[in-house]
Amino acid sequence: MTPDPTEDDESSIAVRPRRKGIYALPNAITLAALFSAFYAIIMAMNGRFEVACVAIFAAAVLDSMDGRVARMTNTQSAFGEQMDSLSDMVAFGAAPALIVYMWALKDMGKPGWIPAFVYIAGAALRLARFNVNIGVIDKRYFQGLPSPAAAAIVMGLIWCAVDAPWYDGVGNMPWLRWTAFGVTLFAGLSMVTNAPFYSFKVFDRRRSVPFIVLVAIMLGIGLIALDPPTVLFAIFCVYGLSGYVIYGWRKSKGKPVSVISTSTDEPDERGLHQ
């Protein structure tokens, strides 16, 4: 029997490999986030801290996009995962620590090293733990404060301060320096806690959402537009405290507070996995 030429065409289409160029799309977004972090450091070195803060927030937006773009285009790769982790370490670990140090902590001498180092070390430990536990963690929660949220808290404080009409330079406001000390230390330590922070990953992009969700998003955008530094700082401060609230609530109810199994081999040690 003579083979149907259309079948050959369909089989050739089915096995046709994806263009390698499409792999560049998520990695290009990751590189854009890395450049934003580099640009933020350069701006901080030139004393333009407000621009530096905006650049870190831009890096956070780009970081939220690269993984989604990779999944949507089916271009996930081990290379992309490693690239994303390295970019996150720079954008949400090294860059915020350096920026807040140059802004408020360097005039404190060696004590100013403490929160900056705790922050950058916390970001490294958090990212390493995330990569190791990615297969056993409850996807509803992050174990510890996510590094982009930690960076948003620290950068939000700086942005709010330098944008405020009462700002007269951090050198003339000792209380502001100590506030930066405490906030940086809090953000760094929160990244290595076991407190569960809601991940917002339960929404399936293939399903429709209630109309009220779109209304809420619209109102949120409008609210942020009124005063971006203050609103964003407030939002991420609330999120930064939410993990401890969830931890306390679960503890008071006698529920498991760990977001991972302490051992995947022992069925009795199930963490939050049901």
Side-chain angles (χ1 to χ4, degrees), residues 38-214:
F38 171 77
Y39 182 75
I41 295 173
I42 297 299
M43 290 298 101
M45 292 171 62
N46 288 282
R48 301 180 64 184
F49 292 103
E50 185 174 4
V51 178
C53 294
V54 174
I56 294 298
F57 275 99
V61 173
L62 292 168
D63 178 68
S64 68
M65 293 172 56
D66 55 4
R68 289 177 172 82
V69 169
R71 288 189 293 272
M72 290 174 63
T73 57
N74 195 27
T75 55
Q76 305 99 313
S77 66
F79 176 85
E81 292 175 0
Q82 297 302 319
M83 183 68 185
D84 183 64
S85 291
L86 293 171
S87 175
D88 287 354
M89 182 58 208
V90 175
F92 311 123
L98 290 171
I99 293 169
V100 73
Y101 178 80
M102 286 186 285
W103 179 63
L105 303 177
K106 67 178 181 179
D107 292 333
M108 300 178 73
K110 289 185 178 179
W113 298 2
I114 297 173
F117 177 72
V118 167
Y119 180 91
I120 194 172
L125 292 170
R126 197 250 179 248
L127 289 168
R129 184 173 65 176
F130 175 81
N131 290 338
V132 171
N133 293 339
I134 193 168
V136 296
I137 199 167
D138 186 338
K139 296 185 182 299
R140 296 173 298 169
Y141 298 96
F142 291 117
Q143 184 185 22
L145 182 65
S147 55
I153 291 174
V154 177
M155 294 299 97
L157 171 66
I158 300 175
W159 194 5
C160 281
V162 299
D163 192 61
W166 44 260
Y167 181 69
D168 190 31
V170 70
N172 300 321
M173 309 174 76
W175 66 268
L176 186 57
R177 179 180 289 115
W178 283 104
T179 300
F181 185 103
V183 169
T184 306
L185 197 60
F186 168 81
L189 293 174
S190 293
M191 284 188 281
V192 294
T193 62
N194 288 324
F197 290 83
Y198 197 63
S199 67
F200 301 99
K201 291 183 178 180
V202 296
F203 298 103
D204 190 343
R205 67 178 182 271
R206 293 169 296 181
R207 297 180 181 178
S208 61
V209 296
F211 181 74
I212 190 64
V213 174
L214 298 179

